[in-house]
Amino acid sequence: MSESTHHTIRRAAARPRGWCCSFSGVPDSPEHRALPSSAGVGAQKLPPPKSPLAPSFHSSPSSKLAGLIDPRRILSPGRVSPIDSEGSPAVAVGESEDEALPRDQPAPAAGAAPFVAVREDDEEGGGGLDLRLSLRGRDGRCVVMELDSAVLRHSSAFFAGMVPDASGSGSGEGAGGKRMEVDGVDNLEAFKEAVELMFEPDAMRWLSRAGVSRAIAVLEVSSSIMFDRGIESCLKYIEAVPWNENEEEKLKHVFARCTFDELVCKDVLARLQQQDRSSSEDLTVQLVESVTSGTNNGARKELQSLVTGLLSKSSVYHKDLSGLNKGRLYQICRSCLSSLVELFVEGSRPVEGAGQSMTVSGSSKPMIERISKQTENLNWLFDILVNNDMAEDFVELWAKQEELIRMHEQASPMFRYELSRISASVFTALGKGRIQCPSDTRSQLFHGWFRPMLMDFGWLQRCSKGLDVRILEENLGQALLTLPLQHQQSLFEEWFRCFASRGTECPNLSRAFQVWWRRSFVRSSVDVRR
């Protein structure tokens, strides 16, 4: 090769014997012409083994080259063998000084990058780079590497059975004229880097510069060629650094395709999957209880959003309902309701001195803040139940809170409107059709909580806390229309009187009222038979 296309770069003496590579096709040379049939006699064709010659301690040899080496052809210098679609991965060892390109592959493009060799001078005068390894990808790209065959054999059990041993050459010429070609490589860059890693004295330093994604790709190739030191180094590096979600998925795919020794990969597996396969029910309940008992309002709201996202059906983390225990969730709901009743009982007691009704004895928190905390907890739990189709029992539970309904009339408006905030969530879910409850349950709910809603609507408008009162008005009317017509009439009459006297301090249910009037008094052309 001429000086214009072949450059030699010296490395420090401390480096191990080197290798060389090129991402371009092999430069044009007169020696690349096709050889006659008799010229191919000197080439050694090795039938690709169905299993590697040497076993690997760290990885299973079965199906290791699947997807990495094209099984279609075995190449010899200057000649293409017949295509066998059922064959095994192709490896050819030849006694040729230059790399030969098969005829059916396109020639290198004009102006391709020159062949760059990275060499280390041999103080003894002998050539340390005694093997030329050619890697060809499925996209036609080719990498040519000049290597020390001894390092390749000692590093990889697969190459140990393929690379000729210079010490055992019967011709006495050594392995200086040997070459090897691997065709149909899926990940050409990763294969090249796995070979490079064999010559690196500090593999961890090389991997830290490469990053997690490249280390995962090198790990898969190392498993395929049974490069045990590469497997150990990649797993050690990957276990010690953070991963993003894409890298985690790549790693899972590698573990699904390859088999590694348990002692080597146990630390990575401990990060990939939960070793204890017990149910997440207990943990879920603990998280919910921690949120409902939290004392920091800002942190509690943030944790509510976090847990809601994890438990939501639409969440990418949600797989099934195995992590939700309906009974335990309703126990937490009842506990919050009990706390709410106790607070209203304390708030209804006669007090001495102005302003004392705002504070509960033994607590520095104002009562309104403590009541607001419990109503927020109940609304949050109700959202979780609705999102997971478990909220029907909550409607019945809320409809039967007779003690709270009774105390609502006696409590201060600044306390009691918090109860109507819970009713607003229930009415909205019913109006949207997200909960399907029996007619008796819906009737009991309106019988107990419709009048308090009419009384507290003005406070809900002024202290909305994220509540959309227009949506509440729309869905309150829709939920009311699901009741029997006779029951609707009594409730609409009550609303009509309230709206006539209070105006905007009362919800506007005019559209629902018109629907009820039409259904009740406008004669239809179709008579419904009883």
Side-chain angles (χ1 to χ4, degrees):
M1 185 177 294
S2 65
E3 294 182 357
S4 62
T5 60
H6 194 169
H7 304 277
T8 302
I9 301 176
R10 295 181 179 272
R11 289 188 171 184
R15 298 279 293 176
R17 286 184 293 176
W19 48 267
C20 70
C21 66
S22 171
F23 277 99
S24 65
V26 180
D28 292 335
S29 169
E31 298 179 3
H32 294 163
R33 64 184 179 272
L35 299 177
S37 58
S38 60
V41 175
Q44 180 183 4
K45 288 188 182 179
L46 295 180
K50 294 184 179 179
S51 61
L53 297 179
S56 173
F57 177 72
H58 296 302
S59 60
S60 172
S62 61
S63 304
K64 288 299 177 182
L65 295 177
L68 291 172
I69 304 177
D70 192 347
R72 294 179 301 170
R73 59 172 62 87
I74 302 175
L75 301 176
S76 60
R79 176 171 77 177
V80 179
S81 63
I83 295 177
D84 181 7
S85 60
E86 302 297 330
S88 299
V91 178
V93 179
E95 297 180 355
S96 175
E97 296 182 357
D98 292 312
E99 193 68 27
L101 293 175
R103 292 181 179 178
D104 61 346
Q105 296 293 334
F115 183 88
V116 180
V118 181
R119 300 179 184 273
E120 179 181 347
D121 292 341
D122 192 340
E123 297 179 357
E124 298 179 0
L129 309 179
D130 58 355
L131 175 70
R132 174 170 290 186
L133 175 65
S134 298
L135 307 175
R136 184 179 297 279
R138 293 185 184 276
D139 57 0
R141 289 193 310 147
C142 181
V143 174
V144 181
M145 309 177 75
E146 292 184 0
L147 307 167
D148 183 348
S149 62
V151 175
L152 197 65
R153 287 195 309 272
H154 295 159
S155 301
S156 166
F158 168 72
F159 283 117
M162 296 295 177
V163 179
D165 189 352
S167 61
S169 176
S171 61
E173 296 177 358
K178 297 292 184 179
R179 70 179 181 84
M180 186 176 184
E181 180 172 334
V182 180
D183 194 18
V185 179
D186 276 339
N187 194 335
L188 191 65
E189 180 68 18
F191 206 114
K192 177 185 78 70
E193 290 177 342
V195 175
E196 290 177 11
L197 198 60
M198 298 178 187
F199 296 85
E200 288 290 336
D202 190 346
M204 293 296 291
R205 183 180 179 185
W206 185 95
L207 290 168
S208 65
R209 293 178 178 178
V212 177
S213 184
R214 290 169 64 186
I216 295 173
V218 172
L219 171 65
E220 184 172 10
V221 176
S222 298
S223 174
S224 302
I225 62 177
M226 290 171 286
F227 173 27
D228 291 344
R229 186 172 71 91
I231 294 173
E232 293 177 358
S233 299
C234 290
L235 289 173
K236 182 179 179 181
Y237 166 74
I238 291 169
E239 190 279 329
V241 296
W243 318 322
N244 58 39
E245 291 189 11
N246 290 334
E247 291 163 348
E248 180 182 349
E249 289 301 315
K250 290 180 182 178
L251 194 57
K252 287 180 179 178
H253 286 305
V254 171
F255 271 81
R257 290 192 293 263
C258 305
T259 303
F260 302 100
D261 184 81
E262 184 178 357
L263 293 176
V264 177
C265 68
K266 64 179 182 180
D267 292 335
V268 176
L269 284 176
R271 286 182 57 184
L272 274 178
Q273 60 188 16
Q274 183 66 258
Q275 301 301 312
D276 183 8
R277 287 294 184 179
S278 61
S279 173
S280 61
E281 292 180 358
D282 293 338
L283 178 59
T284 301
V285 172
Q286 291 175 14
L287 293 177
V288 173
E289 287 180 337
S290 297
V291 173
T292 56
S293 62
T295 57
N296 186 295
N297 290 334
R300 191 175 70 253
K301 290 179 180 179
E302 182 152 349
L303 290 176
Q304 284 176 351
S305 299
L306 174 63
V307 176
T308 299
L310 295 177
L311 299 181
S312 173
K313 278 186 172 182
S314 60
S315 172
V316 296
Y317 304 103
H318 182 91
K319 300 302 181 185
D320 52 45
L321 298 179
S322 60
L324 285 178
N325 186 314
K326 181 178 177 180
R328 298 287 296 276
L329 286 178
Y330 273 96
Q331 287 181 6
I332 301 175
C333 290
R334 292 184 178 91
S335 175
C336 292
L337 280 171
S338 297
S339 299
L340 196 57
V341 171
E342 292 175 2
L343 289 173
F344 269 83
V345 169
E346 285 194 54
S348 63
R349 292 172 183 169
V351 293
E352 297 180 0
Q356 292 187 23
S357 61
M358 295 293 296
T359 305
V360 179
S361 61
S363 174
S364 60
K365 297 284 187 181
M367 179 179 290
I368 183 62
E369 183 176 337
R370 300 186 67 189
I371 291 176
S372 178
K373 172 188 172 182
Q374 297 303 329
T375 56
E376 286 179 1
N377 285 338
L378 286 166
N379 269 329
W380 175 59
L381 291 167
F382 178 68
D383 287 340
I384 293 176
L385 294 170
V386 169
N387 289 334
N388 292 278
D389 303 325
M390 299 178 177
E392 287 77 10
D393 291 343
F394 187 95
V395 179
E396 183 177 1
L397 183 64
W398 184 243
K400 293 180 178 179
Q401 295 301 311
E402 297 178 358
E403 189 173 5
L404 279 176
I405 295 171
R406 178 180 53 80
M407 289 189 293
H408 177 276
E409 298 179 358
Q410 306 168 1
S412 167
M414 67 177 60
F415 295 165
R416 71 187 188 194
Y417 90 97
E418 292 285 351
L419 298 179
S420 291
R421 189 181 305 281
I422 300 174
S423 299
S425 298
V426 177
F427 286 137
T428 300
L430 286 172
K432 290 182 175 180
R434 301 191 65 185
I435 308 176
Q436 295 77 45
C437 294
S439 176
D440 292 343
T441 302
R442 299 195 305 272
S443 296
Q444 186 178 12
L445 176 71
F446 273 92
H447 177 76
W449 291 108
F450 185 68
R451 178 175 295 178
M453 175 62 67
L454 299 182
M455 298 171 61
D456 296 333
F457 189 78
W459 278 87
L460 290 175
Q461 290 184 101
R462 289 185 290 272
C463 305
S464 61
K465 297 184 180 181
L467 175 65
D468 191 328
V469 293
R470 302 283 82 83
I471 293 179
L472 171 59
E473 287 178 320
E474 174 67 23
N475 289 286
L476 178 60
Q478 292 296 320
L480 201 159
L481 291 172
T482 65
L483 303 177
L485 288 175
Q486 192 64 34
H487 195 180
Q488 290 182 38
Q489 179 173 345
S490 63
L491 294 174
F492 275 120
E493 288 176 359
E494 183 176 1
W495 164 79
F496 200 93
R497 291 189 295 268
C498 178
F499 190 74
S501 60
R502 303 185 62 187
T504 58
E505 291 290 299
C506 182
N508 189 341
L509 305 181
S510 299
R511 295 178 59 183
F513 181 85
Q514 293 174 17
V515 174
W516 164 76
W517 185 272
R518 176 182 56 81
R519 292 175 179 174
S520 299
F521 304 111
V522 177
R523 184 176 296 276
S524 173
S525 60
V526 179
D527 291 332
V528 180
R529 294 183 179 179
R530 292 184 179 272

